[in-house]
């Protein structure tokens, strides 16, 4: 708790600046560091096979944090980060166990080309989910044996009406969400399965409300979403202080925007992505950090630039900093499309080979379209991750290249796909399965990717 106090105090007494000044300083410094450390984007590669460049990304990330600090939007001041604190955090070992009873999972601390697969977290992970399908969407992931936890979506409405943000209605929505999420694990006969979220609320009171052994126990993983591009706010401090005092697991999530005001190149993104992972452990003390960088032109996480930068950042952290890291999958295409499967495969293979510990999602239609999350998509993500544990970096680059050629030219006009209700046959909470069309498509794409992996 003393570290959080130190950074909270710094948020109140640090150097004053505007948010635009912070964005510009992050932009300028990250680009300067990319040139200084000779971190260059290679559009022909998806997983950089250069340990020295990955180590340079880490060194640049540390320098960026120390020089620019973390901007607190509630005080308009910079939180100073000491290099000594980063070094101390980098060398601090940790273990992360999530879930309870038979569903308890020890999250592996993975490295590049690790033979142990990452932990697979299914569900909409903050994407929009309709009120009428909320239980079934989450249940479809809980029913998949390869899935080891569920990351909640955001309920679109309550009682048929929209949920006004930052009001007591968010507390009611959080309760409903957590109860349905926990019910899904029980209906799937997987009581104790780790929950992540909740995905609907924004206010700390709502998160604290569901922090009970019945809903979000200390063994689950509550969300503490930090602001993107090396920023923070009082809500982050509220939640972090609460979870640290309670002794429960919590994640920090950030989705930096490539092409936004603070990120001008894939190399700059890799540095900032790594810096935010360091920020997660040093400033908030989070149990795990999930990144979901997106491209400004598509709002998706599956473009070539995002894949390269995210994989390089993952290698940099796994080699130099003891912290659990994962990634959100914001796919552009909707469910029941081959493009949705291709986007997931390219990311899961890259993340697994580059050493990420947790994969979350995927969600289609960039999370904005309601009900674009299914258990079959999460199953596929897990299967691709397991497949990737057998690939070298060169083999993975070949496979991802083949996959990307299938969807790269569709990023400007992705197929909308189908929502959950058109992808699954739901007879009851105990009897539901993907449609024949959906299963056929899944099998075709899966077989195709396995063929890529078998070519020598």
């Amino acid at each position: 708790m003393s570290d959080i106090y130190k950074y909270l105090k710094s948020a109140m007494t640090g150097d004053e600046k505007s948010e635009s000044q912070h964005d510009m300083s992050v932009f300028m410094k990250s680009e300067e560091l990319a040139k200084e450390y000779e971190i260059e984007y290679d559009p022909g590669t998806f997983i950089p096979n250069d340990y020295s460049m990955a180590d340079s990304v880490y060194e640049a990330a540390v320098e960026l944090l120390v020089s620019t600090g973390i901007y607190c939007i509630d005080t308009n001041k910079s939180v100073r980060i000491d290099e000594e604190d980063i070094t101390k955090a980098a060398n601090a070992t940790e273990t992360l166990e999530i879930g309870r009873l038979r569903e308890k999972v020890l999250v592996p601390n993975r490295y590049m080309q690790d033979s142990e697969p990452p932990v697979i977290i299914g569900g909409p992970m903050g994407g929009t989910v309709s009120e009428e399908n909320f239980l079934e969407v989450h249940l479809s992931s809980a029913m998949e044996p390869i899935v080891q936890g569920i990351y909640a979506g955001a309920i679109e409405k309550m009682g048929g009406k929209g949920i006004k943000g930052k009001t007591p209605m968010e507390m009611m929505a959080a309760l409903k969400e957590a109860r349905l999420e926990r019910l899904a694990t029980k209906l799937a006969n997987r009581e104790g399965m780790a929950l992540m979220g909740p995905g609907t609320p924004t206010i700390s009171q709502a998160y604290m409300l569901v922090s009970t052994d019945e809903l979000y126990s200390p063994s689950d993983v509550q969300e503490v979403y930090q602001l993107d591009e090396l920023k923070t706010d009082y809500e982050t401090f509220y939640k972090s202080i609460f979870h640290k005092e309670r002794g429960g697991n919590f994640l920090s999530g950030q989705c930096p925007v490539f092409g936004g005001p603070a990120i001008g190149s894939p190399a700059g993104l890799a540095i900032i992505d790594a810096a935010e992972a360091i920020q997660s452990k040093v400033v908030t003390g989070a149990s795990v950090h999930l990144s979901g960088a997106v491209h400004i032109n598509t709002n998706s996480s599956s473009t070539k630039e995002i894949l390269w930068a995210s994989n390089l950042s993952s290698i940099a952290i796994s080699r130099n900093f003891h912290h659990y890291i994962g990634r959100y999958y914001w796919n552009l295409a909707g469910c029941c499309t081959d493009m949705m499967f291709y986007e997931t495969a390219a990311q899961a293979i890259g993340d697994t080979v580059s050493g990420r510990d947790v994969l979350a999602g995927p969600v289609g239609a960039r999370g904005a379209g309601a009900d674009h999350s299914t258990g079959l998509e999460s199953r596929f993500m897990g299967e691709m991750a397991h497949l990737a544990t057998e690939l070298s970096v060169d083999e993975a680059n070949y496979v991802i290249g083949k996959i990307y050629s299938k969807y790269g030219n569709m990023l400007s006009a992705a197929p909308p796909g189908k929502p959950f209700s058109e992808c699954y046959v739901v007879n009851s909470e105990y009897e539901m399965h993907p449609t024949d069309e959906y299963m056929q498509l899944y099998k075709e794409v899966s077989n195709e990717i396995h063929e890529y992996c078998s070519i020598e």
Side-chain angles (χ1 to χ4, degrees):
M1 194 68 74
S2 59
D3 289 342
I4 292 181
Y5 173 80
K6 172 182 176 179
Y7 291 116
L8 177 58
K9 184 178 179 180
S10 181
M12 297 175 175
T13 60
D15 295 335
E16 189 165 345
K17 64 169 68 172
S18 68
E19 187 171 359
S20 61
Q21 287 176 320
H22 170 79
D23 288 341
M24 182 55 68
S25 65
V26 170
F27 175 88
M28 296 295 290
K29 189 63 177 180
S30 61
E31 292 300 303
E32 174 190 319
L33 290 167
K35 291 180 181 179
E36 179 183 339
Y37 285 94
E38 298 181 344
I39 303 165
E40 297 181 0
Y41 170 55
D42 178 3
T45 303
F46 295 93
I47 307 173
N49 195 6
D50 185 341
Y51 288 151
S52 64
M53 185 165 67
D55 293 341
S56 293
V57 166
Y58 177 77
E59 292 175 18
V62 171
E63 190 170 336
L64 177 65
L65 277 170
V66 173
S67 62
T68 65
I70 305 298
Y71 183 72
C72 181
I73 65 168
D74 289 309
T75 63
N76 299 322
K77 295 181 185 296
S78 282
V79 179
R80 181 180 175 182
I81 308 296
D82 296 328
E83 187 168 354
E84 181 181 347
D85 290 344
I86 296 175
T87 301
K88 182 173 67 174
N91 295 324
T93 58
E94 56 187 7
T95 58
L96 176 59
E97 194 172 72
I98 63 174
R100 296 175 291 173
L101 307 174
R102 294 179 301 172
E103 300 299 328
K104 188 181 296 183
V105 174
L106 181 64
V107 180
N109 212 321
R110 301 181 68 254
Y111 50 86
M112 193 174 183
Q113 297 184 84
D114 200 320
S115 60
E116 187 171 5
V119 169
I120 304 302
I121 306 296
M125 53 173 214
T128 306
V129 183
S130 67
E131 187 176 15
E132 56 269 26
N133 291 321
F134 196 89
L135 174 62
E136 287 77 10
V137 166
H138 292 79
L139 177 57
S140 71
S141 284
M143 293 170 61
E144 295 291 343
I146 203 168
V147 172
Q148 296 160 285
I150 302 178
Y151 202 133
I155 300 177
E156 187 177 30
K157 297 179 180 179
M158 281 271 291
K161 296 183 179 180
I163 302 165
K164 188 175 181 179
K166 300 190 184 304
T167 69
M169 188 58 71
E170 282 196 357
M171 299 180 73
M172 303 300 294
L175 272 175
K176 180 170 184 176
E177 172 190 323
R179 286 167 175 163
L180 290 174
E181 196 181 4
R182 180 56 71 197
L183 177 58
T185 68
K186 294 181 178 181
L187 289 171
N189 195 30
R190 301 187 69 181
E191 187 170 359
M193 189 181 198
L195 305 184
M196 288 192 175
T200 303
T202 60
I203 56 174
S204 53
Q205 297 95 318
Y207 289 89
M208 296 175 190
L209 177 65
V210 299
S211 299
T212 68
D213 286 344
E214 178 189 359
L215 300 175
Y216 276 84
S217 75
S219 298
D220 296 300
V221 188
Q222 284 226 35
E223 179 184 274
V224 177
Y225 195 88
Q226 301 184 109
L227 302 179
D228 304 325
E229 286 86 47
L230 302 179
K231 298 173 189 173
T232 192
D233 59 3
Y234 278 166
E235 283 291 343
T236 297
F237 282 111
Y238 291 147
K239 297 167 191 170
S240 299
I241 292 169
F242 173 79
H243 293 307
K244 292 292 285 185
E245 181 64 21
R246 186 189 183 215
N249 298 320
F250 67 102
L251 67 89
S252 62
Q254 285 168 295
C255 297
V257 180
F258 170 63
I263 305 176
S265 69
L269 172 59
I271 295 169
I272 292 167
D273 195 52
E276 290 183 338
I278 299 170
Q279 171 192 354
S280 162
K281 185 175 182 181
V282 173
V283 179
T284 69
S287 312
V288 57
H289 177 69
L290 268 67
S291 171
V294 295
H295 196 296
I296 194 171
N297 293 337
T298 64
N299 285 330
S300 68
S301 60
S302 60
T303 68
K304 183 179 293 185
E305 299 88 347
I306 302 298
L307 295 175
W308 181 89
S310 296
N311 291 333
L312 180 56
S313 168
S314 176
I315 298 167
I317 293 298
S318 65
R319 283 176 54 81
N320 296 280
F321 193 77
H322 290 287
H323 193 37
Y324 292 96
I325 54 173
R327 203 156 81 86
Y328 297 112
Y329 286 13
W330 303 109
N331 289 349
L332 189 59
C335 293
C336 201
T337 65
D338 57 2
M339 181 174 172
M340 172 77 166
F341 284 124
Y342 288 135
E343 289 180 275
T344 297
Q347 294 172 89
I349 292 171
D351 284 327
T352 301
V353 173
S354 62
R356 288 202 187 261
D357 309 303
V358 177
L359 309 185
V363 66
R366 299 171 296 188
D371 298 347
H372 277 277
S373 168
T374 76
L376 186 59
E377 302 288 352
S378 297
R379 179 203 304 181
F380 181 78
M381 178 179 73
E383 290 173 345
M384 291 297 103
H386 282 245
L387 176 65
T389 60
E390 302 176 2
L391 300 177
S392 68
V393 174
D394 289 342
E395 290 168 337
N397 270 314
Y398 169 80
V399 173
I400 297 172
K402 296 289 287 185
I403 295 169
Y404 195 83
S405 70
K406 295 288 186 175
Y407 77 85
N409 62 353
M410 300 170 66
L411 288 167
S412 59
K418 300 178 180 181
F420 176 84
S421 60
E422 297 178 34
C423 294
Y424 268 62
V425 176
V426 181
N427 295 322
S428 74
E429 290 87 351
Y430 299 99
E431 186 182 353
M432 54 190 292
H433 57 82
T435 64
D436 292 342
E437 174 194 9
Y438 197 15
M439 280 300 299
Q440 182 61 31
L441 182 62
Y442 152 77
K443 291 177 181 178
E444 289 175 359
V445 176
S446 181
N447 289 338
E448 179 185 354
I449 294 173
H450 275 81
E451 288 179 8
Y452 295 154
C453 294
S454 64
I455 296 175
E456 298 183 357

